[in-house]
Amino acid sequence: MALNVMSIAEWQKRLKLGELSARELTDQQLSRVFEVEPTLHAYLEVTADRARADADRIDAARAAGESLPPLAGVPIAIKDNLCTKGINTTCSSRMLEHFVPPYESTVTKRLWEAGAVLIGKTNLDEFAMGSSTETSAFGATSNPWDPSKVPGGSSGGSAAAVAAGECMAALGSDTGGSIRQPASFCGVVGFKPTYGRVSRWGLVAFASSLDQVGPFSTSVADSAELLKVISGFDPLDSTSLKVDVPNYSSSLSKSIVGLRIGLIKECFDQEGLQPEVKASVLAAAEHLESLGAELVEISCPRFNDGIATYYVIAPSEASANLARYDGVKYGYRYEDSENLASMTSMSRAKGFGSEVQRRILIGTYALSAGYVDAYYKKAQQVRTLIRKDFDRAFKNVDVLLTPTSPTTAFSAGAHADDPLSMYLADLLTIPANLAGLPAISLPCGFDENGLPIGLQLIGNVLEEPKLLQVASQYELSANVMSNIPDTENFIP
Ligand code: GLN
């Protein structure tokens, strides 16, 4: 079966003209899922009945002559750390294996109100901690470009599902790069909005000062469509920003003549930067220059301190957020204990996997009375310095440009014995989370093994429209994605 590379706009047109019904599209989408899932395992649960019912409602509305909402019939996949009412939300953890949320997250609620169709819940690293989707308690996801490679993480299921045509678009969450890095590994577009632009209500908390929800799609225009629907103030999230939602789509066709694009020097000097990644990202920068943008070299001296800072702050917040899983209120409970203390500790020992336990230990240590000044507070101070570097940079340029990840997709198991080496995968994405800035990853080329390379653009606070403008102008003229994964070779 042919890959689904229809854009949201094209689909809406075909639906309105009656060329394809929502039910037909959904059925095609589901058969694609069943065809590739035995190899990819991008989904933890496929909600086929729900998807068909959603689609039938759209077709009925169309038949009745009602006006259709903006995402009518669009097949969407949702990372399994976003609460979906009545549908398991596991965070890929034994701890939440049987958790059925009694409420809907704000972002998913907005998607269903906009007519989107839920295809299923996607795999992730347990509690979104990881860069390869290998720490899932329910088995890893494979990269559709080469199933022996990881799809990136933690939102690897959503990225792989979009890349393999198992949905038209998806949602993920990004705490240190978990949308952008898998987008880069899977050759799709991934967008992390400004902190506070999109509600976190109903997103299972990992590190609350860093977490943001955002879209995956096969084009910049589709990401703009999703962003429009999920953005906006939410009284249920105390960090939600009370600002208007711009019409993101209208920035896509604007010329970039005269825009200043900063190349962060520190990113290109990295020792571990794969030469093909560097060459391809620099070629993309030159392409933008040929479209009329001005390239400027920028220094962000603290950029490379992001990773050390993040691995104090994120585990600290995680250790506090995950304290709620005590075997008492909800989640996994170890029944065979003699007293409350052993029930709680055994529930946590058996319910959480080793990466999650490692983060809890690091975070608890960094927050403990004797060390909080040396570690947590120090990390917060460095975080401020990183933000100041960006503030200085944005006085001089409109957007910043870097590779998304130092390498292309690595082999499954490559970092199994050395978690610290895995942490380096987020070197280039973490600083935007620490500073709360919007950032996008989009495909800009392929390495010699045919694996996709991602380009990252970072914008100033609330300047999503400018990111979409530059990304879309690049995408429309560079034509990188004429190449799509050849999944035929692993379809049984
Ligand atoms: N890979 C990073 C981590 O392991 C980022 C995760 C994320 O963005 N959710 O923490």
Side-chain angles (χ1 to χ4, degrees), residues 365-406:
Y365 183 82
L367 291 177
S368 60
Y371 295 102
V372 69
D373 289 337
Y375 294 110
Y376 184 71
K377 285 200 183 140
K378 187 59 83 189
Q380 290 291 17
Q381 287 163 348
V382 179
R383 181 179 193 173
T384 304
L385 295 176
I386 291 171
R387 171 68 186 256
K388 284 189 172 154
D389 274 357
F390 280 121
D391 288 345
R392 217 172 312 114
F394 285 120
K395 288 205 172 87
N396 203 353
V397 297
D398 293 286
V399 302
L400 292 164
L401 180 150
T402 76
T404 305
S405 170

mmCIF file of all heavy atoms in Angstrom, residues 365-406:
data_model
loop_
_atom_site.group_PDB
_atom_site.id
_atom_site.type_symbol
_atom_site.label_atom_id
_atom_site.label_comp_id
_atom_site.label_asym_id
_atom_site.label_seq_id
_atom_site.Cartn_x
_atom_site.Cartn_y
_atom_site.Cartn_z
ATOM 1 N N TYR A 365 19.005 13.288 45.420
ATOM 2 C CA TYR A 365 20.332 13.671 45.933
ATOM 3 C C TYR A 365 20.568 15.170 45.719
ATOM 4 O O TYR A 365 20.948 15.898 46.642
ATOM 5 C CB TYR A 365 21.387 12.852 45.185
ATOM 6 C CG TYR A 365 22.800 13.091 45.647
ATOM 7 C CD1 TYR A 365 23.291 12.432 46.779
ATOM 8 C CD2 TYR A 365 23.635 13.939 44.948
ATOM 9 C CE1 TYR A 365 24.597 12.638 47.198
ATOM 10 C CE2 TYR A 365 24.941 14.156 45.361
ATOM 11 C CZ TYR A 365 25.424 13.495 46.488
ATOM 12 O OH TYR A 365 26.704 13.707 46.891
ATOM 13 N N ALA A 366 20.276 15.647 44.507
ATOM 14 C CA ALA A 366 20.536 17.061 44.190
ATOM 15 C C ALA A 366 19.671 18.003 45.021
ATOM 16 O O ALA A 366 20.047 19.156 45.249
ATOM 17 C CB ALA A 366 20.298 17.319 42.706
ATOM 18 N N LEU A 367 18.532 17.524 45.494
ATOM 19 C CA LEU A 367 17.643 18.384 46.281
ATOM 20 C C LEU A 367 17.838 18.209 47.774
ATOM 21 O O LEU A 367 17.220 18.916 48.574
ATOM 22 C CB LEU A 367 16.177 18.068 45.955
ATOM 23 C CG LEU A 367 15.668 18.456 44.564
ATOM 24 C CD1 LEU A 367 14.217 17.998 44.395
ATOM 25 C CD2 LEU A 367 15.755 19.961 44.343
ATOM 26 N N SER A 368 18.693 17.263 48.189
ATOM 27 C CA SER A 368 18.790 16.971 49.623
ATOM 28 C C SER A 368 19.471 18.129 50.352
ATOM 29 O O SER A 368 20.243 18.889 49.759
ATOM 30 C CB SER A 368 19.526 15.651 49.845
ATOM 31 O OG SER A 368 20.820 15.747 49.303
ATOM 32 N N ALA A 369 19.171 18.255 51.638
ATOM 33 C CA ALA A 369 19.549 19.449 52.415
ATOM 34 C C ALA A 369 21.008 19.856 52.223
ATOM 35 O O ALA A 369 21.310 21.011 51.967
ATOM 36 C CB ALA A 369 19.233 19.210 53.884
ATOM 37 N N GLY A 370 21.918 18.905 52.246
ATOM 38 C CA GLY A 370 23.330 19.266 52.184
ATOM 39 C C GLY A 370 23.803 19.653 50.788
ATOM 40 O O GLY A 370 24.866 20.242 50.628
ATOM 41 N N TYR A 371 23.038 19.324 49.763
ATOM 42 C CA TYR A 371 23.545 19.509 48.395
ATOM 43 C C TYR A 371 22.735 20.474 47.545
ATOM 44 O O TYR A 371 23.128 20.781 46.422
ATOM 45 C CB TYR A 371 23.613 18.146 47.689
ATOM 46 C CG TYR A 371 24.622 17.237 48.340
ATOM 47 C CD1 TYR A 371 24.217 16.213 49.188
ATOM 48 C CD2 TYR A 371 25.979 17.433 48.125
ATOM 49 C CE1 TYR A 371 25.153 15.394 49.806
ATOM 50 C CE2 TYR A 371 26.916 16.625 48.740
ATOM 51 C CZ TYR A 371 26.496 15.604 49.580
ATOM 52 O OH TYR A 371 27.415 14.804 50.185
ATOM 53 N N VAL A 372 21.615 20.916 48.055
ATOM 54 C CA VAL A 372 20.731 21.715 47.208
ATOM 55 C C VAL A 372 21.407 22.991 46.701
ATOM 56 O O VAL A 372 21.231 23.390 45.548
ATOM 57 C CB VAL A 372 19.376 21.986 47.929
ATOM 58 C CG1 VAL A 372 19.548 22.919 49.114
ATOM 59 C CG2 VAL A 372 18.339 22.516 46.951
ATOM 60 N N ASP A 373 22.246 23.615 47.539
ATOM 61 C CA ASP A 373 22.932 24.838 47.077
ATOM 62 C C ASP A 373 23.981 24.513 46.031
ATOM 63 O O ASP A 373 24.114 25.197 45.025
ATOM 64 C CB ASP A 373 23.597 25.563 48.256
ATOM 65 C CG ASP A 373 22.550 26.210 49.161
ATOM 66 O OD1 ASP A 373 21.440 26.462 48.668
ATOM 67 O OD2 ASP A 373 22.850 26.434 50.344
ATOM 68 N N ALA A 374 24.729 23.436 46.296
ATOM 69 C CA ALA A 374 25.831 23.091 45.389
ATOM 70 C C ALA A 374 25.327 22.620 44.028
ATOM 71 O O ALA A 374 25.970 22.880 43.015
ATOM 72 C CB ALA A 374 26.688 21.997 46.014
ATOM 73 N N TYR A 375 24.199 21.923 44.004
ATOM 74 C CA TYR A 375 23.738 21.366 42.736
ATOM 75 C C TYR A 375 22.517 22.090 42.174
ATOM 76 O O TYR A 375 22.598 22.742 41.134
ATOM 77 C CB TYR A 375 23.444 19.863 42.887
ATOM 78 C CG TYR A 375 24.695 19.073 43.157
ATOM 79 C CD1 TYR A 375 24.922 18.492 44.397
ATOM 80 C CD2 TYR A 375 25.667 18.931 42.173
ATOM 81 C CE1 TYR A 375 26.091 17.780 44.646
ATOM 82 C CE2 TYR A 375 26.831 18.223 42.407
ATOM 83 C CZ TYR A 375 27.038 17.643 43.653
ATOM 84 O OH TYR A 375 28.191 16.951 43.883
ATOM 85 N N TYR A 376 21.391 21.989 42.857
ATOM 86 C CA TYR A 376 20.147 22.492 42.263
ATOM 87 C C TYR A 376 20.207 24.009 42.052
ATOM 88 O O TYR A 376 19.929 24.514 40.962
ATOM 89 C CB TYR A 376 18.949 22.104 43.138
ATOM 90 C CG TYR A 376 17.645 22.512 42.521
ATOM 91 C CD1 TYR A 376 17.156 21.853 41.390
ATOM 92 C CD2 TYR A 376 16.913 23.578 43.035
ATOM 93 C CE1 TYR A 376 15.975 22.240 40.795
ATOM 94 C CE2 TYR A 376 15.722 23.974 42.453
ATOM 95 C CZ TYR A 376 15.258 23.301 41.329
ATOM 96 O OH TYR A 376 14.084 23.691 40.735
ATOM 97 N N LYS A 377 20.610 24.729 43.099
ATOM 98 C CA LYS A 377 20.626 26.194 42.956
ATOM 99 C C LYS A 377 21.668 26.635 41.942
ATOM 100 O O LYS A 377 21.441 27.550 41.153
ATOM 101 C CB LYS A 377 20.865 26.860 44.319
ATOM 102 C CG LYS A 377 19.636 26.801 45.183
ATOM 103 C CD LYS A 377 19.634 27.824 46.291
ATOM 104 C CE LYS A 377 18.381 27.634 47.136
ATOM 105 N NZ LYS A 377 18.655 27.803 48.572
ATOM 106 N N LYS A 378 22.803 25.976 41.960
ATOM 107 C CA LYS A 378 23.850 26.308 40.980
ATOM 108 C C LYS A 378 23.321 26.078 39.564
ATOM 109 O O LYS A 378 23.501 26.912 38.669
ATOM 110 C CB LYS A 378 25.083 25.433 41.271
ATOM 111 C CG LYS A 378 26.312 25.741 40.466
ATOM 112 C CD LYS A 378 26.818 27.159 40.622
ATOM 113 C CE LYS A 378 27.691 27.347 41.842
ATOM 114 N NZ LYS A 378 28.029 28.734 42.131
ATOM 115 N N ALA A 379 22.650 24.971 39.385
ATOM 116 C CA ALA A 379 22.111 24.673 38.047
ATOM 117 C C ALA A 379 21.103 25.738 37.616
ATOM 118 O O ALA A 379 21.092 26.164 36.459
ATOM 119 C CB ALA A 379 21.454 23.288 38.045
ATOM 120 N N GLN A 380 20.296 26.211 38.557
ATOM 121 C CA GLN A 380 19.332 27.264 38.210
ATOM 122 C C GLN A 380 20.052 28.547 37.803
ATOM 123 O O GLN A 380 19.595 29.287 36.922
ATOM 124 C CB GLN A 380 18.376 27.542 39.380
ATOM 125 C CG GLN A 380 17.391 26.415 39.663
ATOM 126 C CD GLN A 380 16.328 26.243 38.571
ATOM 127 O OE1 GLN A 380 16.466 26.734 37.451
ATOM 128 N NE2 GLN A 380 15.271 25.514 38.885
ATOM 129 N N GLN A 381 21.203 28.812 38.465
ATOM 130 C CA GLN A 381 21.964 30.019 38.097
ATOM 131 C C GLN A 381 22.534 29.884 36.677
ATOM 132 O O GLN A 381 22.499 30.820 35.883
ATOM 133 C CB GLN A 381 23.087 30.263 39.111
ATOM 134 C CG GLN A 381 22.551 30.777 40.439
ATOM 135 C CD GLN A 381 23.553 30.637 41.584
ATOM 136 O OE1 GLN A 381 24.573 29.956 41.458
ATOM 137 N NE2 GLN A 381 23.257 31.278 42.700
ATOM 138 N N VAL A 382 23.052 28.701 36.364
ATOM 139 C CA VAL A 382 23.604 28.502 35.017
ATOM 140 C C VAL A 382 22.467 28.601 33.987
ATOM 141 O O VAL A 382 22.639 29.160 32.903
ATOM 142 C CB VAL A 382 24.333 27.141 34.900
ATOM 143 C CG1 VAL A 382 24.882 26.954 33.490
ATOM 144 C CG2 VAL A 382 25.452 27.046 35.923
ATOM 145 N N ARG A 383 21.294 28.100 34.376
ATOM 146 C CA ARG A 383 20.134 28.191 33.481
ATOM 147 C C ARG A 383 19.871 29.658 33.118
ATOM 148 O O ARG A 383 19.596 29.991 31.946
ATOM 149 C CB ARG A 383 18.922 27.600 34.198
ATOM 150 C CG ARG A 383 17.668 27.617 33.383
ATOM 151 C CD ARG A 383 16.518 26.980 34.161
ATOM 152 N NE ARG A 383 15.396 26.733 33.264
ATOM 153 C CZ ARG A 383 14.309 26.064 33.605
ATOM 154 N NH1 ARG A 383 14.166 25.557 34.809
ATOM 155 N NH2 ARG A 383 13.339 25.887 32.741
ATOM 156 N N THR A 384 19.971 30.541 34.103
ATOM 157 C CA THR A 384 19.768 31.976 33.834
ATOM 158 C C THR A 384 20.831 32.498 32.865
ATOM 159 O O THR A 384 20.530 33.292 31.963
ATOM 160 C CB THR A 384 19.812 32.770 35.154
ATOM 161 O OG1 THR A 384 18.831 32.206 36.024
ATOM 162 C CG2 THR A 384 19.532 34.243 34.950
ATOM 163 N N LEU A 385 22.073 32.042 33.046
ATOM 164 C CA LEU A 385 23.138 32.503 32.139
ATOM 165 C C LEU A 385 22.877 32.043 30.700
ATOM 166 O O LEU A 385 23.129 32.783 29.744
ATOM 167 C CB LEU A 385 24.507 31.988 32.609
ATOM 168 C CG LEU A 385 24.983 32.534 33.966
ATOM 169 C CD1 LEU A 385 26.303 31.882 34.360
ATOM 170 C CD2 LEU A 385 25.129 34.061 33.912
ATOM 171 N N ILE A 386 22.367 30.818 30.570
ATOM 172 C CA ILE A 386 22.061 30.296 29.226
ATOM 173 C C ILE A 386 20.978 31.165 28.579
ATOM 174 O O ILE A 386 21.075 31.575 27.425
ATOM 175 C CB ILE A 386 21.633 28.818 29.313
ATOM 176 C CG1 ILE A 386 22.837 27.962 29.709
ATOM 177 C CG2 ILE A 386 21.009 28.332 28.000
ATOM 178 C CD1 ILE A 386 22.523 26.515 30.044
ATOM 179 N N ARG A 387 19.965 31.490 29.363
ATOM 180 C CA ARG A 387 18.876 32.339 28.862
ATOM 181 C C ARG A 387 19.434 33.712 28.438
ATOM 182 O O ARG A 387 19.039 34.279 27.413
ATOM 183 C CB ARG A 387 17.812 32.466 29.953
ATOM 184 C CG ARG A 387 16.718 33.477 29.681
ATOM 185 C CD ARG A 387 15.828 33.002 28.521
ATOM 186 N NE ARG A 387 14.868 34.050 28.178
ATOM 187 C CZ ARG A 387 13.583 34.013 28.523
ATOM 188 N NH1 ARG A 387 13.094 32.991 29.186
ATOM 189 N NH2 ARG A 387 12.778 34.992 28.189
ATOM 190 N N LYS A 388 20.390 34.225 29.246
ATOM 191 C CA LYS A 388 20.965 35.551 28.914
ATOM 192 C C LYS A 388 21.764 35.514 27.611
ATOM 193 O O LYS A 388 21.755 36.477 26.844
ATOM 194 C CB LYS A 388 21.828 36.053 30.070
ATOM 195 C CG LYS A 388 20.977 36.563 31.219
ATOM 196 C CD LYS A 388 21.801 37.271 32.268
ATOM 197 C CE LYS A 388 20.869 37.928 33.271
ATOM 198 N NZ LYS A 388 21.529 38.077 34.586
ATOM 199 N N ASP A 389 22.453 34.397 27.374
ATOM 200 C CA ASP A 389 23.156 34.243 26.088
ATOM 201 C C ASP A 389 22.168 34.366 24.926
ATOM 202 O O ASP A 389 22.442 35.014 23.921
ATOM 203 C CB ASP A 389 23.772 32.832 25.985
ATOM 204 C CG ASP A 389 25.138 32.731 26.626
ATOM 205 O OD1 ASP A 389 25.656 33.758 27.115
ATOM 206 O OD2 ASP A 389 25.704 31.609 26.637
ATOM 207 N N PHE A 390 21.019 33.703 25.093
ATOM 208 C CA PHE A 390 20.005 33.756 24.030
ATOM 209 C C PHE A 390 19.457 35.178 23.879
ATOM 210 O O PHE A 390 19.273 35.668 22.771
ATOM 211 C CB PHE A 390 18.855 32.786 24.328
ATOM 212 C CG PHE A 390 19.142 31.346 23.986
ATOM 213 C CD1 PHE A 390 19.081 30.350 24.954
ATOM 214 C CD2 PHE A 390 19.439 30.977 22.676
ATOM 215 C CE1 PHE A 390 19.309 29.019 24.636
ATOM 216 C CE2 PHE A 390 19.675 29.641 22.341
ATOM 217 C CZ PHE A 390 19.613 28.669 23.330
ATOM 218 N N ASP A 391 19.189 35.828 25.026
ATOM 219 C CA ASP A 391 18.651 37.202 24.966
ATOM 220 C C ASP A 391 19.599 38.095 24.167
ATOM 221 O O ASP A 391 19.185 38.899 23.334
ATOM 222 C CB ASP A 391 18.482 37.788 26.383
ATOM 223 C CG ASP A 391 17.329 37.141 27.128
ATOM 224 O OD1 ASP A 391 16.513 36.469 26.477
ATOM 225 O OD2 ASP A 391 17.256 37.307 28.367
ATOM 226 N N ARG A 392 20.881 37.924 24.428
ATOM 227 C CA ARG A 392 21.894 38.722 23.730
ATOM 228 C C ARG A 392 21.876 38.383 22.224
ATOM 229 O O ARG A 392 21.881 39.261 21.376
ATOM 230 C CB ARG A 392 23.280 38.442 24.323
ATOM 231 C CG ARG A 392 24.157 39.678 24.383
ATOM 232 C CD ARG A 392 25.462 39.446 25.157
ATOM 233 N NE ARG A 392 25.272 38.788 26.441
ATOM 234 C CZ ARG A 392 25.721 37.566 26.744
ATOM 235 N NH1 ARG A 392 26.394 36.856 25.858
ATOM 236 N NH2 ARG A 392 25.527 37.063 27.945
ATOM 237 N N ALA A 393 21.817 37.103 21.942
ATOM 238 C CA ALA A 393 21.823 36.674 20.537
ATOM 239 C C ALA A 393 20.630 37.254 19.773
ATOM 240 O O ALA A 393 20.765 37.724 18.647
ATOM 241 C CB ALA A 393 21.809 35.152 20.456
ATOM 242 N N PHE A 394 19.452 37.243 20.421
ATOM 243 C CA PHE A 394 18.249 37.690 19.700
ATOM 244 C C PHE A 394 18.182 39.215 19.537
ATOM 245 O O PHE A 394 17.289 39.717 18.853
ATOM 246 C CB PHE A 394 16.982 37.129 20.351
ATOM 247 C CG PHE A 394 16.780 35.667 20.050
ATOM 248 C CD1 PHE A 394 16.728 34.717 21.067
ATOM 249 C CD2 PHE A 394 16.663 35.230 18.729
ATOM 250 C CE1 PHE A 394 16.563 33.369 20.784
ATOM 251 C CE2 PHE A 394 16.493 33.879 18.435
ATOM 252 C CZ PHE A 394 16.443 32.947 19.465
ATOM 253 N N LYS A 395 19.127 39.933 20.155
ATOM 254 C CA LYS A 395 19.214 41.378 19.858
ATOM 255 C C LYS A 395 19.801 41.567 18.461
ATOM 256 O O LYS A 395 19.670 42.599 17.834
ATOM 257 C CB LYS A 395 20.101 42.066 20.898
ATOM 258 C CG LYS A 395 19.425 42.170 22.255
ATOM 259 C CD LYS A 395 20.007 43.341 23.061
ATOM 260 C CE LYS A 395 19.199 43.552 24.316
ATOM 261 N NZ LYS A 395 19.670 42.708 25.427
ATOM 262 N N ASN A 396 20.486 40.530 18.007
ATOM 263 C CA ASN A 396 21.272 40.619 16.787
ATOM 264 C C ASN A 396 20.689 39.823 15.610
ATOM 265 O O ASN A 396 20.941 40.130 14.457
ATOM 266 C CB ASN A 396 22.663 40.072 17.147
ATOM 267 C CG ASN A 396 23.733 40.576 16.241
ATOM 268 O OD1 ASN A 396 23.440 41.236 15.248
ATOM 269 N ND2 ASN A 396 24.966 40.246 16.558
ATOM 270 N N VAL A 397 19.935 38.760 15.931
ATOM 271 C CA VAL A 397 19.417 37.897 14.860
ATOM 272 C C VAL A 397 17.935 37.585 15.078
ATOM 273 O O VAL A 397 17.410 37.786 16.167
ATOM 274 C CB VAL A 397 20.184 36.541 14.781
ATOM 275 C CG1 VAL A 397 21.642 36.763 14.443
ATOM 276 C CG2 VAL A 397 20.030 35.739 16.060
ATOM 277 N N ASP A 398 17.290 37.081 14.013
ATOM 278 C CA ASP A 398 15.867 36.722 14.104
ATOM 279 C C ASP A 398 15.668 35.296 14.588
ATOM 280 O O ASP A 398 14.793 35.026 15.405
ATOM 281 C CB ASP A 398 15.217 36.878 12.723
ATOM 282 C CG ASP A 398 15.180 38.328 12.294
ATOM 283 O OD1 ASP A 398 14.359 39.067 12.858
ATOM 284 O OD2 ASP A 398 15.988 38.734 11.437
ATOM 285 N N VAL A 399 16.452 34.373 14.044
ATOM 286 C CA VAL A 399 16.375 32.984 14.506
ATOM 287 C C VAL A 399 17.792 32.407 14.582
ATOM 288 O O VAL A 399 18.713 32.927 13.949
ATOM 289 C CB VAL A 399 15.517 32.079 13.585
ATOM 290 C CG1 VAL A 399 14.105 32.584 13.429
ATOM 291 C CG2 VAL A 399 16.150 31.909 12.237
ATOM 292 N N LEU A 400 17.932 31.345 15.355
ATOM 293 C CA LEU A 400 19.230 30.678 15.483
ATOM 294 C C LEU A 400 19.160 29.332 14.779
ATOM 295 O O LEU A 400 18.087 28.705 14.731
ATOM 296 C CB LEU A 400 19.569 30.475 16.957
ATOM 297 C CG LEU A 400 19.849 31.769 17.723
ATOM 298 C CD1 LEU A 400 19.783 31.533 19.228
ATOM 299 C CD2 LEU A 400 21.214 32.340 17.339
ATOM 300 N N LEU A 401 20.280 28.880 14.264
ATOM 301 C CA LEU A 401 20.300 27.633 13.490
ATOM 302 C C LEU A 401 21.393 26.708 14.022
ATOM 303 O O LEU A 401 22.533 27.136 14.243
ATOM 304 C CB LEU A 401 20.539 28.001 12.021
ATOM 305 C CG LEU A 401 20.597 26.894 10.985
ATOM 306 C CD1 LEU A 401 20.098 27.435 9.643
ATOM 307 C CD2 LEU A 401 21.993 26.340 10.804
ATOM 308 N N THR A 402 21.031 25.439 14.220
ATOM 309 C CA THR A 402 21.996 24.420 14.670
ATOM 310 C C THR A 402 21.566 23.074 14.067
ATOM 311 O O THR A 402 20.442 22.968 13.578
ATOM 312 C CB THR A 402 21.984 24.239 16.216
ATOM 313 O OG1 THR A 402 20.818 23.480 16.591
ATOM 314 C CG2 THR A 402 21.956 25.555 16.970
ATOM 315 N N PRO A 403 22.430 22.064 14.157
ATOM 316 C CA PRO A 403 21.907 20.720 13.885
ATOM 317 C C PRO A 403 20.931 20.375 15.020
ATOM 318 O O PRO A 403 21.034 20.945 16.106
ATOM 319 C CB PRO A 403 23.140 19.817 13.965
ATOM 320 C CG PRO A 403 24.322 20.733 13.967
ATOM 321 C CD PRO A 403 23.863 22.048 14.497
ATOM 322 N N THR A 404 20.001 19.436 14.786
ATOM 323 C CA THR A 404 19.104 19.030 15.871
ATOM 324 C C THR A 404 19.809 18.055 16.791
ATOM 325 O O THR A 404 19.727 18.158 18.014
ATOM 326 C CB THR A 404 17.837 18.359 15.297
ATOM 327 O OG1 THR A 404 17.237 19.258 14.368
ATOM 328 C CG2 THR A 404 16.856 18.018 16.403
ATOM 329 N N SER A 405 20.504 17.104 16.195
ATOM 330 C CA SER A 405 21.200 16.091 16.983
ATOM 331 C C SER A 405 22.608 15.958 16.418
ATOM 332 O O SER A 405 22.803 16.116 15.216
ATOM 333 C CB SER A 405 20.451 14.760 16.853
ATOM 334 O OG SER A 405 21.218 13.730 17.420
ATOM 335 N N PRO A 406 23.598 15.660 17.265
ATOM 336 C CA PRO A 406 24.969 15.550 16.761
ATOM 337 C C PRO A 406 25.141 14.406 15.752
ATOM 338 O O PRO A 406 26.071 14.419 14.962
ATOM 339 C CB PRO A 406 25.805 15.262 18.012
ATOM 340 C CG PRO A 406 24.932 15.551 19.178
ATOM 341 C CD PRO A 406 23.506 15.501 18.718
#
